[in-house]
Amino acid sequence: MTYRSSHWLVLAGVLSVLAVGLLSACSASVGGSSVSADSVAKQAKAALDEKNGGDFPDISCPKDLPAEVDAKITCTVALDDGTHDVSIVVTKVDGDVVIFGTQVAGEPNA
């Protein structure tokens, strides 16, 4: 399996998204019907590292991400103020390349 990152900021609704949390996107090549949880976590972290110009904390994903448009999983990340949800949503599937958005919640979990 090969992976490649394509980091970009979604311009639609950027002002409202920035008020909620960090948003980034990435892609991964898959050999089956899903992207492994480990690959999603690594790609999401890499995208957020690039966006924030530094070493973003590790992200943990509980399950694989289906290679289907609009498929969603919720991962987590431990930040200084607590554990935040990280929403992962598939925006495009092009052959064996899955493109997904990554959004960190602005508030920690209760």
Side-chain angles (χ1 to χ4, degrees):
M1 230 182 261
T2 59
Y3 303 100
R4 56 184 176 160
S5 293
S6 162
H7 309 294
W8 44 272
L9 180 64
V10 177
L11 296 179
V14 117
L15 293 177
S16 63
V17 170
L18 290 177
V20 174
L22 302 171
L23 175 72
S24 194
C26 41
S27 67
S29 295
V30 295
S33 60
S34 64
V35 181
S36 73
D38 186 53
S39 295
V40 171
K42 287 178 182 176
Q43 292 296 318
K45 179 187 180 328
L48 292 166
D49 279 347
E50 185 175 300
K51 177 168 178 44
N52 293 297
D55 190 28
F56 199 80
D58 288 341
I59 294 172
S60 176
C61 298
K63 62 183 181 177
D64 293 351
L65 177 65
E68 302 169 3
V69 174
D70 294 330
K72 302 173 186 175
I73 62 171
T74 301
C75 302
T76 56
V77 63
L79 300 177
D80 291 340
D81 63 344
T83 301
H84 291 247
D85 283 343
V86 180
S87 298
I88 307 289
V89 180
V90 175
T91 57
K92 182 177 180 180
V93 178
D94 185 8
D96 67 348
V97 176
V98 177
I99 300 171
F100 53 90
T102 304
Q103 182 174 356
V104 179
E107 296 293 323
N109 297 338

